[in-house]
Amino acid sequence: MITNQRLFFYCNFLLPKKEWLLALMMLLFSANQMSAQGKAISGVVTSAQDKLPLPGVNIMIKGTKTVTTTGFDGEYSIKASQGDVLVFSFIGFQNQEITVGNQSKIDLALGEDTNKLNEVVVVGYGTQKKADLTGSIGVVDMEAAKKTVTYDPAKMLQGQVAGVTVQSSGEPGGFVNVKIRGINSFTNNNPLFVIDGMIVSNPNDFAPGDIESMQVLKDASAAAIYGVQGANGVVIITTKKGKSGKLDIKYKSLVGFQNVAKTWDVTDRVGYQKITSAAEQNAGLGIAPGNDPNSPSYIKNVDTNWQKEAFKTGLVQNHSLTFSGGAETLGYNLNTDYFKNTSYLNSPQDYERYSMNLNLYGKKGKFKYGSKIGYTKSGKENFNEYNGGESAIVDLLGAVPTMPVYDSKRLGGYGGTDNLTQRAISMNVIGYNNLITNNGQRSRFIGDIWGELEIIKGLKYKLDLSYDRLDFQNRKFIPPSDLGWYYITTNDEASLDVDNGNQQRTFVNNLLTYEITLDKHKIDALGGWIQERNDYYRHWSRGVGYTPGEISQIQYADATSAGEYKNTLTNISYLSRLNYSYDDRYFITGNFRQDKTSLFSEDNNTANFYSFSGAWKLSNEKFIHLPDWFNTIKLRGGYGELGNNTLGVYAYSPTINAFAGYDFNNTLAPGTTVVSAIDPNVHWEKTATSNVAVELGFLDNDLQITAEYYQKKSTDLLIGVPLPYSTGAFPASITTNAGAVKNSGFEFTATYNNNHHEFKYNISANLGTLKNEVLQIGLDGNPIYGAASKTEVGRSIGELYTYQVAGIFQNAADLASSPTQTNAGVGDLKFADLNGDGQITDADRKFMGVTIPKYSYGINFGANYKNWDFSMFWQGSGGNKVFNGLYRNLMTEQYGNHSVDALNYWTPTNTNTNVPRPIIGDPNGNARDSDRFIESGDYIKLQTLEIGYSIPMPKDLFIQRAKVYVNGQNLWIISKYKGYDPDFNYNDGLFSRGYDAGSFPNPRTISLGVEVTF
């Protein structure tokens, strides 16, 4: 190499020479200077997973302050010398170091950071590194959760987080039931949902595909920041935000087909007529003409298989288009989504939703800002119930096979039964749901705008304003029709109900945060003041009296009525949080929130909630020496108190009738009477939680294990206490704080990621146990009875409580020698005399098992090899009992249809059976609540299975990435349950639990999908 000194010497002696020599020397001088400053290194940084460019990657020369970032296309350029080490870093990806050699171009594919401890998670009003958490927060694996085809983000939680149980049904647009760590209240146990910082009542108006992350706050140390609204846990959902970079367009499309995987074995015409005729003869009745072969009215040409006629192939489809990009001053993410699900039942019931979500984010100096605009419009055609609370599935299974689906002779064109011919009151579910128009329309607008200013270093003020408006309209028209005996709607009974209104919710959040690091001390503080207002308005109209074919509008009804209702709720909250850590070893978190609400009287409208928690990273202690394969030991624990304010508006104020009168000696005297009795001292419910946990990491934290114990004790629960009828109150009860319940259990999670080879895979599993115990019911401890259940102090809520079958009376001697059983006869069920008083009464019922699962679990497995990916998800629960109400209905042996099991009914020549004799009226109560209808609720289900292929794309093509996949859902279930599915969602009446009264079965779904990035 030529030095500067030598160049100076050559210039002095060669100056008289040719000019080109001077030019050569100057060129050599420049080259020497460039060599001293380094050379330009350029390249492109992409994601190793999807091969897409990564904008915003930091590239730094190690040990210096020289740094640059990648641009829109992942391209970068930096000057470096041979031997320099380039450090590539990007959030969510593993850091990589490359030593500069002779090359001038370095392309790099960054792999995802599989160490979940480095993950930043969203907590209440902020974010925190997962490794530093002191509270119990479950982080949902969104890559696995999004493979669940659903309209509701809540469904995606099923089996993904320990301690979280989810139940749903196959009804399009139906409600999804979520419980976090058990049942804490006698009124409301639904968790709080927070989407992009906005508190929402439920998440079903939001597109699951637009979600970036989900966290579940399970204990008070994590959820206390939400105060009175966080007693049942909090689910925080964050949607995708815009990032600096070029315009990125993504299109996703999915089309799936649904059907009922399992059907009930019910009797055909011959079996039905056999059982029903025997029941009539045993009751001393003549055989119904329609079932009597000797009658001219005998039905032999109708044999309807109602499940075959009703169940069809349903369709589910979901299409979304996303635009994202922008610059540092303004990034954007716009998602448009369309979802539709048509029912697998032969009726117009379906669910359809259009949604749009726009997130904006920017930064200018010390000022950050952003906004969110979302709009959803959805429509749902509802299933219809003739009797309130009676499921269409119950009516479908009970429909007699001698009733045709269609009958042109009847008004409406659908079949029905005849009281003289068949004597069967049987609902034509297909006809009823096709004749009635029953739809609900929802439109929802949410808007949020915020700005954050860094006043001085570390001190930030944030103002966040949000508005949430829901408009709804429900319309139900029942036209005149003839669906047979009992199900005839006359012109006078034909009706139209129109119900519409709106809900508005506004928040003003004032938040002040301060972060400071002093040597090994790190402090993060939050203080805030929040105002909330809720407005509700509803108007309803009813018209009665329509002729066939008449226009279904209120003005054409023979008689009309209407009403309206409105209310306003206000809340003011003060909140604070302090996080302190020392040397990445010791962590302490404290939360405090004060809530004030208009729900309660002035004397009781304020409550304080708090929590504190701590963590200790033992693995960071110098005195602890772990082997190389053992990386992390962390202990954490916490305690806190939360609240629950599920109470009717103005429920602390009694209602009276000032125009009541009373007859005194045939003279009406004016007076006033109480309409509803109210406890003026009613106040917040309280839930105290405590938990301890250990977190372990092995093999460079590729293997992570967490074990945790928790306990939740809820007191001052709101409950209706009976009152004497002499009070005049209706209902004859008063709501007061007189209940208590405790939940406790263990939770275990384990994850393993192997991304070090071409074949990459990951496994995660979670298990949660739950023990529920009632500590107090009312003022006197009287138990509460539900559907085949009883709730009493010292036991779980809603335990099954029934009679126990002891056999069948085989003869008159057996009947005479047994305890007295009113109206029993030979061939009837014999029930156990549990109290030994010689007679069968209500006192002979016993507890038959808990209805709340003792454990629930989920297992995820995913793998990638070259362009192929594969995943499957198993989920289940167990330790609980289920009362099969559907089976009971099919075993009553009356005029409805029967289970094929009933064909083995008792006769003098068929005594080796557990099925009693059929008899109309069931005088012995063979169909009473008993253990013959109780089954195990244990199940394990292959919830999802997906295989995908990423199509290789040329670099210069306008399509950057394309993937096709096939997805299966609810594919296989292992269970002894006789019904459609032990994972049912029906009658979550708290005290009536585990009772399958006709939940719509979860369908098997096979979907084809495509994802394209432009």
Side-chain angles (χ1 to χ4, degrees):
M1 181 176 292
I2 301 176
T3 64
N4 291 341
Q5 291 80 3
R6 288 180 178 178
L7 277 173
F8 181 77
F9 175 80
Y10 293 150
C11 287
N12 284 327
F13 283 89
L14 295 178
L15 190 59
K17 303 292 182 180
K18 300 288 185 180
E19 293 181 0
W20 63 269
L21 291 176
L22 180 59
L24 176 61
M25 287 187 293
M26 295 300 296
L27 179 62
L28 291 173
F29 179 82
S30 299
N32 184 51
Q33 289 294 99
M34 290 178 63
S35 175
Q37 296 175 359
K39 60 181 178 181
I41 304 294
S42 62
V44 178
V45 182
T46 58
S47 166
Q49 183 181 20
D50 55 20
K51 314 303 181 187
L52 294 178
L54 292 175
V57 177
N58 283 328
I59 303 100
M60 180 180 67
I61 298 178
K62 192 172 184 178
T64 72
K65 294 183 178 181
T66 304
V67 64
T68 188
T69 59
T70 57
F72 292 164
D73 297 319
E75 297 178 347
Y76 73 95
S77 179
I78 191 172
K79 285 187 177 182
S81 301
Q82 187 173 354
D84 285 345
V85 177
L86 300 182
V87 181
F88 295 79
S89 62
F90 192 56
I91 296 177
F93 290 81
Q94 294 176 335
N95 292 353
Q96 287 198 35
E97 297 184 359
I98 302 293
T99 302
V100 177
N102 296 324
Q103 74 271 47
S104 60
K105 185 175 179 61
I106 299 177
D107 292 334
L108 188 66
L110 288 181
E112 289 188 349
D113 187 356
T114 57
N115 185 358
K116 297 298 183 181
L117 294 177
N118 294 327
E119 185 178 356
V120 175
V121 300
V122 180
V123 296
Y125 302 100
T127 60
Q128 201 169 359
K129 192 176 178 181
K130 185 178 180 182
D132 299 342
L133 293 175
T134 59
S136 183
I137 299 180
V139 180
V140 179
D141 182 349
M142 291 308 302
E143 185 176 353
K146 284 187 177 181
K147 291 174 182 177
T148 298
V149 179
T150 179
Y151 59 91
D152 192 336
K155 173 67 174 177
M156 298 164 62
L157 291 170
Q158 188 169 32
Q160 299 292 342
V161 177
V164 179
T165 58
V166 178
Q167 294 173 308
S168 61
S169 76
E171 179 183 359
F175 176 70
V176 177
N177 187 358
V178 180
K179 297 288 181 290
I180 299 176
R181 288 184 171 178
I183 298 174
N184 315 298
S185 173
F186 294 155
T187 54
N188 173 39
N189 288 277
N190 299 321
L192 178 71
F193 287 91
V194 180
I195 299 181
D196 292 332
M198 298 178 59
I199 294 175
V200 299
S201 54
N202 57 69
N204 60 356
D205 286 319
F206 301 88
D210 195 37
I211 295 175
E212 187 170 55
S213 68
M214 295 177 72
Q215 285 84 33
V216 182
L217 313 186
K218 296 187 285 185
D219 69 340
S221 61
I225 198 70
Y226 289 103
V228 70
Q229 302 180 83
N232 300 321
V234 181
V235 180
I236 297 180
I237 298 175
T238 304
T239 59
K240 295 177 181 178
K241 306 294 188 295
K243 298 178 181 179
S244 298
K246 68 174 184 178
L247 174 62
D248 192 20
I249 303 175
K250 294 182 180 179
Y251 172 71
K252 296 182 180 180
S253 178
L254 175 142
V255 177
F257 304 92
Q258 297 182 327
N259 59 28
V260 178
K262 178 183 178 182
T263 56
W264 278 87
D265 291 328
V266 296
T267 53
D268 59 8
R269 178 187 63 82
V270 175
Y272 163 73
Q273 290 176 332
K274 177 183 177 181
I275 295 173
T276 302
S277 297
E280 290 175 314
Q281 291 175 320
N282 287 332
L285 302 173
I287 299 176
N291 299 331
D292 186 357
N294 299 316
S295 170
S297 300
Y298 178 59
I299 300 173
K300 61 180 180 180
N301 58 346
V302 178
D303 191 359
T304 304
N305 183 330
W306 283 96
Q307 292 179 94
K308 183 178 179 180
E309 294 289 340
F311 293 146
K312 62 177 183 178
T313 299
L315 178 67
V316 58
Q317 54 180 312
N318 189 196
H319 311 280
S320 68
L321 188 62
T322 304
F323 304 86
S324 64
E328 184 181 24
T329 54
L330 185 64
Y332 59 89
N333 189 90
L334 172 64
N335 175 263
T336 58
D337 189 276
Y338 173 74
F339 184 93
K340 185 173 184 179
N341 186 191
T342 58
S343 174
Y344 51 70
L345 201 65
N346 185 10
S347 63
Q349 278 65 40
D350 61 14
Y351 173 77
E352 186 175 32
R353 180 184 66 204
Y354 302 85
S355 64
M356 181 276 294
N357 186 55
L358 172 64
N359 282 324
L360 300 174
Y361 172 83
K363 180 181 180 181
K364 188 70 173 178
K366 295 184 178 182
F367 185 58
K368 295 180 181 179
Y369 43 87
S371 67
K372 177 185 181 69
I373 299 174
Y375 178 76
T376 298
K377 184 174 180 60
S378 62
K380 183 179 185 299
E381 185 69 26
N382 301 301
F383 285 96
N384 301 289
E385 302 172 349
Y386 189 87
N387 297 312
E390 187 175 88
S391 166
I393 297 298
V394 171
D395 293 328
L396 175 69
L397 293 177
V400 297
T402 57
M403 176 175 62
V405 178
Y406 305 99
D407 187 349
S408 59
K409 297 179 181 178
R410 293 184 181 273
L411 180 62
Y414 290 94
T417 57
D418 181 71
N419 59 329
L420 298 177
T421 304
Q422 294 152 300
R423 300 177 186 165
I425 299 175
S426 189
M427 163 66 81
N428 185 333
V429 174
I430 298 174
Y432 193 67
N433 278 278
N434 279 279
L435 288 171
I436 293 176
T437 301
N438 182 5
N439 59 65
Q441 300 288 329
R442 291 165 59 95
S443 61
R444 188 171 189 175
F445 171 82
I446 58 173
D448 180 71
I449 184 169
W450 61 271
E452 182 182 80
L453 176 66
E454 186 174 16
I455 303 171
I456 59 175
K457 185 177 181 180
L459 180 63
K460 300 176 182 178
Y461 168 71
K462 182 178 181 180
L463 175 62
D464 191 337
L465 309 174
S466 65
Y467 176 73
D468 182 357
R469 180 185 174 102
L470 170 67
D471 291 275
F472 61 88
Q473 182 185 71
N474 300 303
R475 185 182 182 88
K476 183 176 182 180
F477 178 63
I478 303 177
S481 63
D482 178 5
L483 291 173
W485 183 32
Y486 188 79
Y487 297 110
I488 297 176
T489 302
T490 64
N491 293 356
D492 293 339
E493 295 171 330
S495 62
L496 171 64
D497 288 279
V498 179
D499 184 5
N500 56 67
N502 61 75
Q503 294 174 271
Q504 300 179 72
R505 197 173 193 176
T506 57
F507 284 92
V508 179
N509 297 336
N510 295 273
L511 303 174
L512 196 65
T513 59
Y514 183 65
E515 296 181 13
I516 187 172
T517 301
L518 300 173
D519 193 19
K520 296 181 180 181
H521 304 271
K522 185 177 181 180
I523 299 174
D524 176 4
L526 165 71
W529 172 45
I530 297 175
Q531 292 176 287
E532 177 186 358
R533 178 186 172 104
N534 292 274
D535 294 281
Y536 176 82
Y537 174 77
R538 177 186 170 215
H539 177 273
W540 62 93
S541 302
R542 178 174 175 82
V544 178
Y546 292 89
T547 59
E550 190 171 9
I551 298 175
S552 57
Q553 292 183 356
I554 291 291
Q555 64 265 36
Y556 297 110
D558 294 339
T560 61
S561 59
E564 64 177 350
Y565 172 80
K566 66 184 300 183
N567 67 56
T568 298
L569 296 176
T570 58
N571 299 285
I572 296 178
S573 302
Y574 302 93
L575 57 90
S576 61
R577 176 173 59 215
L578 178 66
N579 290 320
Y580 168 77
S581 66
Y582 174 75
D583 196 25
D584 199 30
R585 289 183 289 162
Y586 312 114
F587 301 83
I588 298 175
T589 299
N591 289 284
F592 176 79
R593 176 161 175 153
Q594 183 182 85
D595 286 314
K596 185 174 183 179
T597 180
S598 62
L599 273 175
F600 301 112
S601 65
E602 291 187 7
D603 295 334
N604 299 294
N605 67 355
T606 303
N608 300 320
F609 305 100
Y610 66 91
S611 73
F612 56 86
S613 56
W616 180 19
K617 291 184 181 178
L618 283 80
S619 50
N620 287 354
E621 294 287 0
K622 294 180 180 179
F623 63 85
I624 294 180
H625 303 284
L626 300 175
D628 293 340
W629 51 269
F630 197 160
N631 310 109
T632 303
I633 306 177
K634 176 184 172 184
L635 299 178
R636 60 175 171 82
Y639 174 85
E641 291 188 358
L642 296 164
N644 194 338
N645 63 348
T646 303
L647 189 71
V649 181
Y650 313 125
Y652 63 85
S653 179
T655 304
I656 62 173
N657 181 1
F659 303 99
Y662 194 82
D663 185 3
F664 286 100
N665 297 322
N666 296 322
T667 301
L668 183 64
T672 300
T673 184
V674 174
V675 177
S676 61
I678 295 297
D679 177 6
N681 296 315
V682 66
H683 54 270
W684 315 83
E685 297 180 347
K686 294 181 180 179
T687 297
T689 76
S690 58
N691 56 283
V692 292
V694 57
E695 299 177 2
L696 306 174
F698 308 92
L699 306 175
D700 292 331
N701 286 318
D702 284 344
L703 173 62
Q704 297 175 21
I705 298 174
T706 300
E708 183 168 359
Y709 172 78
Y710 70 90
Q711 179 176 291
K712 300 170 66 175
K713 184 177 180 181
S714 301
T715 57
D716 288 345
L717 300 185
L718 297 169
I719 188 172
V721 176
L723 291 175
Y725 287 103
S726 58
T727 61
F730 181 80
S733 65
I734 183 172
T735 299
T736 187
N737 299 91
V741 67
K742 182 175 73 173
N743 295 277
S744 60
F746 292 90
E747 293 175 356
F748 305 92
T749 61
T751 61
Y752 177 70
N753 293 279
N754 189 329
N755 292 294
H756 308 298
H757 307 284
E758 191 172 17
F759 177 74
K760 301 176 176 62
Y761 63 92
N762 59 83
I763 304 172
S764 64
N766 67 80
L767 169 68
T769 69
L770 174 62
K771 180 182 179 182
N772 176 267
E773 181 183 358
V774 177
L775 304 178
Q776 180 189 2
I777 301 177
L779 303 177
D780 50 15
N782 288 334
I784 299 174
Y785 293 90
S789 69
K790 180 181 179 181
T791 299
E792 73 174 23
V793 174
R795 290 186 172 273
S796 172
I797 292 178
E799 282 194 40
L800 293 178
Y801 186 73
T802 68
Y803 293 91
Q804 181 178 332
V805 175
I808 292 180
F809 294 112
Q810 299 295 337
N811 48 55
D814 186 12
L815 184 63
S817 62
S818 298
T820 302
Q821 194 166 302
T822 305
N823 297 324
V826 176
D828 284 332
L829 289 179
K830 182 193 303 183
F831 296 99
D833 180 18
L834 299 180
N835 65 354
D837 64 355
Q839 56 184 343
I840 304 301
T841 64
D842 287 348
D844 291 305
R845 292 176 293 175
K846 64 176 290 189
F847 286 100
M848 294 291 185
V850 300
T851 54
I852 301 173
K854 293 181 179 179
Y855 58 87
S856 57
Y857 54 88
I859 304 171
N860 273 302
F861 174 80
N864 292 272
Y865 179 71
K866 294 184 178 180
N867 294 328
W868 291 92
D869 62 85
F870 169 82
S871 65
M872 63 178 176
F873 168 48
W874 296 81
Q875 173 267 331
S877 65
N880 61 304
K881 297 295 183 180
V882 174
F883 191 91
N884 196 334
L886 287 174
Y887 186 61
R888 191 258 292 278
N889 292 342
L890 294 172
M891 294 297 289
T892 57
E893 300 169 308
Q894 300 298 298
Y895 283 113
N897 203 10
H898 319 286
S899 166
V900 294
D901 291 351
L903 290 170
N904 189 31
Y905 60 82
W906 185 94
T907 67
T909 58
N910 183 39
T911 58
N912 186 24
T913 179
N914 61 356
V915 181
R917 62 170 181 161
I919 178 171
I920 296 298
D922 190 18
N924 180 56
N926 292 322
R928 72 181 72 179
D929 297 339
S930 70
D931 59 351
R932 68 187 291 226
F933 308 119
I934 296 176
E935 303 179 42
S936 170
D938 299 4
Y939 76 91
I940 180 171
K941 180 185 294 188
L942 179 55
Q943 191 69 262
T944 60
L945 179 71
E946 184 173 299
I947 300 175
Y949 179 72
S950 296
I951 304 172
M953 291 291 168
K955 291 185 178 180
D956 298 332
L957 194 65
F958 68 97
I959 297 178
Q960 292 183 332
R961 179 175 178 264
K963 177 184 174 181
V964 293
Y965 62 93
V966 58
N967 177 289
Q969 189 166 308
N970 197 34
L971 295 176
W972 187 35
I973 185 168
I974 302 173
S975 171
K976 296 180 180 179
Y977 186 59
K978 287 186 175 73
Y980 288 118
D981 190 343
D983 177 27
F984 57 82
N985 182 22
Y986 193 84
N987 196 358
D988 183 39
L990 299 179
F991 303 115
S992 297
R993 306 194 63 81
Y995 191 101
D996 187 356
S999 177
F1000 285 86
N1002 290 297
R1004 176 186 292 148
T1005 306
I1006 304 296
S1007 307
L1008 301 175
V1010 59
E1011 298 178 3
V1012 182
T1013 301
F1014 300 95

